Amino acid sequence: IEPFEKFDVADYLDSPEIVAVYLSESFAEANSALIAEALRTAARANGMAEVASRAGLARESLYKALRPGSQPRLETILKVIGALGFKLVVQPVPDGDKLKEENDHVDSVSSD
């Protein structure tokens, strides 16, 4: 039996459009650990040293800021996004999603 090759998402982040979708989906989950992981993966796909340099950070600082379990500061997130060639955009949530989120919040508060 031949062993499977290790799957690395970074290998597939080979265009700005794909990276944008990947990061957007990660941010849509509103999970800081997932966002840090997605930023780390996108930075690896583009070269950590290059992204760190463009972000005005030391490479070691970038690794530390985006390591598993980290809680990167908004300033760092924005620097990395900019270094990757993107900007953060806010858009309205469709009414159906908004209602679901409100109901989920009510359910989680009432079940505590």
Side-chain angles (χ1 to χ4, degrees):
I1 297 176
E2 293 185 35
F4 289 107
E5 286 186 38
K6 184 177 178 183
F7 178 79
D8 188 354
V9 173
D11 294 337
Y12 299 91
L13 299 179
D14 54 5
S15 75
E17 295 79 15
I18 292 172
V19 175
V21 169
Y22 177 67
L23 291 176
S24 293
E25 291 297 320
S26 299
F27 273 86
E29 291 297 318
N31 177 316
S32 60
L34 181 61
I35 292 167
E37 179 183 343
L39 288 171
R40 182 176 61 252
T41 302
R44 282 190 310 104
N46 285 273
M48 283 296 253
E50 179 67 25
V51 172
S53 175
R54 283 186 266 163
L57 301 168
R59 186 177 56 86
E60 297 79 17
S61 297
L62 182 58
Y63 274 109
K64 183 178 178 183
L66 300 178
R67 73 180 182 268
S70 68
Q71 296 284 328
R73 294 175 37 197
L74 179 59
E75 178 183 11
T76 303
I77 291 170
L78 294 175
K79 284 181 179 183
V80 173
I81 289 171
L84 291 168
F86 301 104
K87 64 181 178 178
L88 190 61
V89 176
V90 177
Q91 62 185 42
V93 176
D95 287 341
D97 291 344
K98 192 174 182 181
L99 287 174
K100 182 184 179 325
E101 288 175 14
E102 289 172 359
N103 289 337
D104 289 346
H105 176 70
V106 169
D107 290 343
S108 67
V109 171
S110 62
S111 65
D112 289 341

